[in-house]
Amino acid sequence: MDDQITYTQKDFKSENEVRWCPGCGDHAIMNSIQRAMANLGRKHEDFAVISGIGCSSRFPYYMSTFGFHTIHGRASAVASGVKCANPNLCIWQITGDGDALAIGGNHFIHLVRRNIDINLVLFNNKIYGLTKGQYSPTTDRGAITKSSPFGTIEDPFNPGKLVIGAGGNFFARSIDSNVKFTQEVFEEAARHEGTSVCEVLQNCVIFNDGVHNAITDPEFRADRQLFLKHGEKMIFGANNEKGIVFEKGRLKAVTIGQDGYTLDDILVHDAEEPTGWLQMLLCSMGLPELPVAFGVIRSVKAPVYDQVLVEQIEEVKASSPIKCMDDLLNSGDTWEVK
Amino acid sequence: MAKEANVVEKEEVFVRFSGDSGDGMQLTGTLFSDTLALGGNDISTFPDFPSEIRAPQGTVAGVSGFQVNFGNTKISTPGDYADVLVAMNPAAIKANIKFTKHGGTIIFDRDSFNEKNLVKAGYKTLDPIAEDKLEDFNIIPVGVTSLTKETLKDLDLDNKSVLRCKNMFALGLICWIFDLKLDHIESYIRTKFRKKPIIVEANLRVLKSGYNYGENIQELTPRYLVNPAEIEPGIYRNISGNVATAWGLLAASEKSGRELFLGSYPITPATDVLQTLANRKDLGVKTFQAEDEIAGICTSLGAAFAGDLAVTSTSGPGFALKSEGLGLAVMAELPIVVVNVQRAGPSTGIPTKTEQSDLLQALYGRNGESPCVVIAATTPSDCFYYAFMAAKIALERMTPVVLLTDGFLANGSEPWKIPSMSDMPAITPNIAKDAATYKAYARDPQTFAREWAFPGMEGFQHRIGGLEKGITGSVNSDFNNHQDMTDARAAKVAQVVDYVPDLEVLGEQEGELLVVGWGGTFGHLATAVRQLRNEGKSISLAQFNFINPLPANTREVFAKFRKIVVCELNMGQFAGYLRDKEPGFEYYQYNKVMGQPFTVHELVDNFKKHLEE
């Protein structure tokens, strides 16, 4: 972190015309990312934005940073290579529910497992937008889409559970329309050392408009959104009158002061708990019984791949008698022919 | 680098079995040689070691052995130096190591390597591999004792009888390695122990266990060694193709000043490239064992974008999986090297057997107009040089380069005169210098190469990707631009001809028959051609290392011969390519897909027919 560095959001905008549909949630997410980048105290040339394929993956072209728009599903692998080659970079991987969890599912879980220091932003609109409206691995069971005219017959991935299940150490959830909150989540993700996955619920205005409306509806959202903060009670509702308790092995939403529940019964959020069992339950929370959890659900310190990679090389270099190619060529079993 | 003209084919193999006198080495050796003889091999055996090759006095007195020398050619004497040593205990290694070829294979019973046996054998440490400097040998540790016990655990046999079956495990393993059928050995066992059915059962089971173990671990023992007939003075070492490939990449990293990154997924017979480089953290290599072949190339693409010398290594089926990534390297114009150690295909094919059938995949196996530089190594040791050249071309011309080797080169080894790094050519990566004028896809007017700028370089921020782009890297779908960019990418690859030396002809520069080959068939083709030249025949050899682009004088060379026969271990891929690229000649073909290299005999027969017609 260099205190001398001051940027604003516009330092991260490129000259390219942004071609997402008017009203697309991607615009807001890009604003949040650009604002977060400006606050990180990192040099502009040390940012690299890596994406796969899909609407969101056009992202690098709209940024003024180094960028690489790769191929479908492979951004996790490409970004891993970039970070290992130069661990000093601040890498942002931009991906969608299809790119990360369907065609790129294997790379995604292995990135998370290795804990390479990459900030992965997963735009989740529960639909394939670029190919015009087929169901994705996060589409709700039964949803009618272009490729499921009678409703899907498969269950979706829950990205948070997938991340924790794969041994991930950082997972946060946000929503496109809440630019300020999303920006804060991104900054926390960027400061986390290791892979950080931020799922952003994003509205596709054309092919899945309103998919998150039940959560975002201004009339009900105070009752349907739980904003988690490490060390604070899990309280929600328009007047902070509701909370989450753990009862009979399950999470339950209660009203404080009713049915004998007091503030003391409400769970305190521990994002740093390593096993992740309760964080997993928080990821699973959903309407209608429970609010949807937002914020940093999991943030655990763990060995970071790219750091250990460099440390191991330095250790071996220090102890090995082989310092250059000529040493290697002449090592071991050699003989002279006269 | 001029090709070694004096290459002879090694068609004999010398195997030495060695163990305690109670280990049954005599029987093992006899059964092995009988099986070889039944398979049509010429053999020569020596059922015990002459006194001068025994271990030094007072060290390993109990060692007993059996040696067998076999091959397609007439074998008159047992050889002095073993290609393969089967050692049942540490004393057997101690006694025989100096009679084992540099880089030869040592199969040993790992279970016997306890402190007691090591001390008895005269080792001073508990690590005989390091103590005897055996790192450059092909070391195959096998738990012979424990696997034998495990095989027989449900038979009602005493421990002593179980341990007596150990030799059958070793025998089964070595039979797998040399493609020998077990029939003869099995019938011997049935006859010999016919009065003790349980012993028959035990020996048969252990024999089969050893054989299956070979298949399971897909152990690849070099069977064919290409040795220069005349050796120049100098310091030598033994080197296999895979190690040479890895070292060539390391050398390129040092020369270019770019860190080496290898993204790779284990696959037979290419895995040794990954393993060799994983051991070279002392030279700063970053090896990344990826979750799959696709991630292997994609992590490399990321590393290339970030300024590393980036490489991915694989074999045929893995190369197929990398196609899309390679297309991205073509489109984004990133410098990566893809090493394909070819094996018999299609699909999974025969992983442990050699073939040259990925040539067209390397040239054309991608969507769109997607030209790549394709080069091939011709001997185990020149994998070093061609891996180096692949990296040099990639870094200087900003293009992916495919290096084709094969299972034969990869696992074959030969003595190699150690080069000095000061003699290797310089590598100057095409790194951008002026941020004010930098455009990601502005090209050098002569080479058509773009300049390389990577994250961390102040003022060079730009975006690249798999979409067609304009000069800045921004997306551009204009039809004229797409044509121009397609032309430029093709011209850039064609211009790599700057690096391609003229095609050399082994033999007279004109004449009756020109034998054309490429890659790993060189040793056999050169031997066959030389043999016929010694008989006074008008025959020459042109072996290609550069496939795309072809050497500039290719037509000129071809035009000076009455007949051309293209020999390759596939069904005619290079011949077809030549018909397309150098039309106007009649290309005869000699092809073979049996998972084996050519034999000199079959080549000689075929060339004679051509010469007589």
Side-chain angles (χ1 to χ4, degrees), chain B residues 390-413:
Chain B
K392 178 174 164 71
I393 292 167
L395 292 171
E396 294 183 348
R397 295 295 171 92
M398 294 296 284
T399 174
V401 177
V402 178
L403 172 65
L404 295 175
T405 69
D406 57 52
F408 167 68
L409 292 180
N411 295 291
S413 61

Side-chain angles (χ1 to χ4, degrees), chain B residues 12 43 62 69 104 108 149 153 160 227 232 235 250 289 301 339 407 438-439 446 465 494 514:
Chain B
E12 309 165 25
I43 59 163
N69 211 28
F108 67 89
K149 284 183 178 169
K153 68 177 178 199
K160 203 174 163 195
N227 289 324
E232 292 173 39
I235 307 289
L250 283 167
Q289 184 174 315
L301 288 167
V339 179
Y438 182 69
K439 288 190 170 64
Q446 262 84 49
L514 179 69

Side-chain angles (χ1 to χ4, degrees), chain B residues 102-119:
Chain B
H102 294 290
T105 295
I106 302 171
I107 301 169
F108 67 89
D109 183 4
R110 185 168 54 199
D111 299 327
S112 72
F113 275 57
N114 53 39
E115 192 172 350
K116 191 179 132 205
N117 284 343
L118 286 164
V119 169

Side-chain angles (χ1 to χ4, degrees), chain B residues 58-103:
Chain B
T59 50
V60 275
V63 172
S64 154
F66 189 100
Q67 64 189 44
V68 53
N69 211 28
F70 67 97
N72 303 325
T73 50
K74 186 76 188 158
I75 306 288
S76 49
T77 54
D80 291 335
Y81 294 92
D83 299 287
V84 179
L85 170 66
V86 180
M88 301 301 277
N89 61 21
I93 293 188
K94 192 79 182 169
N96 293 299
I97 190 62
K98 59 178 176 292
F99 303 106
T100 305
K101 286 202 180 83
H102 294 290

Side-chain angles (χ1 to χ4, degrees), chain A residues 45 320 325 329 331 333 335, chain B residues 102 236-237 254 282 456 463:
Chain A
E45 64 268 23
S320 170
M325 233 5 245
L329 288 165
S331 66
D333 181 23
W335 68 95
Chain B
H102 294 290
Y236 281 74
R237 67 175 306 123
E254 185 173 296
D282 47 13
R463 275 66 54 194

Side-chain angles (χ1 to χ4, degrees), chain A residues 94-164:
Chain A
I94 307 299
T95 184
D97 38 310
D99 190 56
L101 304 181
I103 190 167
N106 194 32
H107 309 306
F108 176 80
I109 56 173
H110 287 281
L111 166 65
V112 163
R113 173 179 70 82
R114 290 190 182 103
N115 202 31
I116 302 176
D117 190 11
I118 287 167
N119 311 307
L120 186 151
V121 182
L122 172 58
F123 292 41
N124 186 2
N125 56 17
K126 302 190 174 189
I127 199 79
Y128 283 86
L130 198 59
T131 50
K132 305 186 186 68
Q134 301 75 30
Y135 65 93
S136 90
T138 57
T139 301
D140 298 325
R141 176 179 277 271
I144 307 284
T145 73
K146 293 247 185 80
S147 54
S148 58
F150 306 104
T152 70
I153 54 170
E154 52 191 82
D155 282 324
F157 269 139
N158 176 312
K161 286 166 72 180
L162 188 62
V163 167
I164 297 172

